[in-house]
Amino acid sequence: MNELLIIAAPDLVAKRREWLQSLANERRLSDNTLDAYERDTRQFLTFLTAHLGGPARLADIHTLRPADLRAFLAARRREGSGARSLGRHLAGLRSFLRYLERKGLVNAAAAGAIRAPKQPKSLPKPLTDRQALNLVTTDAQLQEEPWIAARDAAVLTLLYGCGLRISEALGLKPADLAPGSTTLRITGKGGKTRIVPLLPIVFDAVATYRKLCPFHIAADEPLFRGARGGPLQPAIIQREMQKLRSALGLPETATPHALRHSFATHLLAGGGDLRTIQELLGHASLSTTQVYTGVDSSRLLEVYDRAHPRA
């Protein structure tokens, strides 16, 4: 932010701050999305300063041309941004410019004239069911401290057994898993709430961790703790997953998020329908869930052969 204060005029800095606050308070975007939009607009204003030869002002934003935005995207591409990142850059800028337009400060036509880069089709890379089951056992964990090994196993089991995002798993509190619970209420992206089944094996994995954990954890505090008792950070689980990949001979695509992909893919292979899987994953759009149909083409062909009258 200090860099931005130097390179942008005070009027533009103030309006950008107002916009970011409105995204957090009114639209309730996730922290990750807010961080990305903050970073993207900061990079754009840094570029604009060099492009214009002076600190960017609201007046400069008002006179932006499509060519200016294309030049920014071209500069980001030269620095290594792919189509997905470029699309997010443009989405953030459009949001900011439309906010300023609603305030009567600029014309956002330049952003509307730019097409988003074509996104490459990429399929999730799930683990096999055997790989996933081996990964989430306590015995597979590399930590020598029993309670930490149980903790890691419990977190990974939640990702694979419930299809949670890592942030959702680490956001759980003891009150969310009361004795006898058979479901979990999860608040995901955008404050969207969903109910997911809590399998006995998942509940047992969490119960084992809670029994061994040396720290007292109040009902409304984060359930999963680091070695010193503070809330467990995602980077810790990601690093452990990296070590497990090496130890178990798993591919580089075996990440914590791949367990969520595996949850969906294995449900689809077992006969689950897309609409149900959409609800379990907390996807706002069915099109997001449909990505998984490309993973399990063998099952789709099997259904086709069995059901189509011309098969």
Side-chain angles (χ1 to χ4, degrees):
M1 188 66 73
N2 289 337
E3 180 186 17
L4 181 63
L5 292 173
I6 295 171
I7 67 169
D11 59 347
L12 185 52
V13 170
K15 292 302 175 185
R16 179 176 173 273
R17 186 182 302 115
E18 289 177 10
W19 166 67
L20 290 169
Q21 289 173 345
S22 75
L23 294 180
N25 299 332
E26 298 169 19
R27 294 186 55 190
R28 299 174 64 189
L29 296 186
S30 70
D31 289 343
N32 288 340
T33 302
L34 287 172
D35 288 344
Y37 278 13
E38 188 282 326
R39 183 171 57 252
D40 292 341
T41 50
R42 174 163 34 88
Q43 290 170 345
F44 175 66
L45 293 179
T46 301
F47 165 83
L48 201 57
T49 292
H51 189 63
L52 299 174
R57 303 164 300 155
L58 267 175
D60 297 319
I61 301 297
H62 182 68
T63 57
L64 273 180
R65 301 166 301 157
D68 298 320
L69 294 173
R70 290 193 187 98
F72 168 66
L73 295 176
R76 296 305 301 162
R77 186 183 293 277
R78 287 194 297 271
E79 293 175 12
S81 291
R84 199 176 302 278
S85 294
L86 293 175
R88 194 200 63 231
H89 292 328
L90 187 56
L93 291 176
R94 280 174 173 163
S95 175
F96 182 39
L97 293 177
R98 285 169 182 162
Y99 172 83
L100 295 177
E101 186 176 54
R102 288 195 300 272
K103 299 289 184 180
L105 299 171
V106 306
N107 185 336
I114 304 293
R115 285 188 179 182
K118 188 174 182 181
Q119 300 293 327
K121 288 187 177 181
S122 60
L123 296 176
K125 296 179 175 60
L127 302 171
T128 67
D129 51 0
R130 183 178 296 275
Q131 287 173 332
L133 290 171
N134 288 340
L135 185 65
V136 301
T137 64
T138 303
D139 291 342
Q141 308 311 308
L142 303 177
Q143 289 286 344
E144 294 183 4
E145 185 67 45
W147 79 268
I148 295 182
R151 177 202 68 190
D152 294 349
V155 172
L156 297 179
T157 302
L158 281 162
L159 304 187
Y160 179 53
C162 298
L164 302 190
R165 301 175 178 92
I166 190 169
S167 59
E168 294 168 346
L170 299 188
L172 291 173
K173 299 174 175 59
D176 296 324
L177 294 102
S181 297
T182 57
T183 60
L184 276 177
R185 180 181 294 273
I186 302 297
T187 302
K189 287 186 174 180
K192 181 180 174 64
T193 300
R194 68 187 190 275
I195 303 295
V196 298
L198 182 61
L199 300 175
I201 191 171
V202 179
F203 186 90
D204 291 346
V206 175
T208 299
Y209 155 69
R210 293 176 72 171
K211 181 179 178 181
L212 295 175
C213 181
F215 304 106
H216 171 74
I217 305 172
D220 60 348
E221 294 180 344
L223 173 61
F224 293 106
R225 297 308 178 105
R228 297 182 180 179
L232 182 61
Q233 299 301 310
I236 301 296
I237 297 299
Q238 289 160 350
R239 282 200 294 269
E240 288 305 311
M241 189 73 163
Q242 189 174 14
K243 296 174 185 175
L244 284 169
R245 282 203 304 265
S246 177
L248 300 178
L250 298 175
E252 290 295 313
T253 53
T255 63
H257 202 66
L259 288 171
R260 177 172 151 89
H261 291 322
S262 303
F263 165 84
T265 303
H266 298 167
L267 277 181
L268 181 65
D273 64 274
L274 278 175
R275 189 66 73 177
T276 300
I277 295 172
Q278 175 193 2
E279 291 295 324
L280 292 174
L281 292 173
H283 285 158
S285 169
L286 185 62
S287 63
T288 306
T289 314
Q290 284 175 327
V291 173
Y292 295 103
T293 64
V295 178
D296 195 30
S297 56
S298 59
R299 176 176 170 260
L300 296 178
L301 289 172
E302 177 187 336
V303 171
Y304 173 85
D305 289 338
R306 186 174 65 248
H308 198 282
R310 296 299 298 271

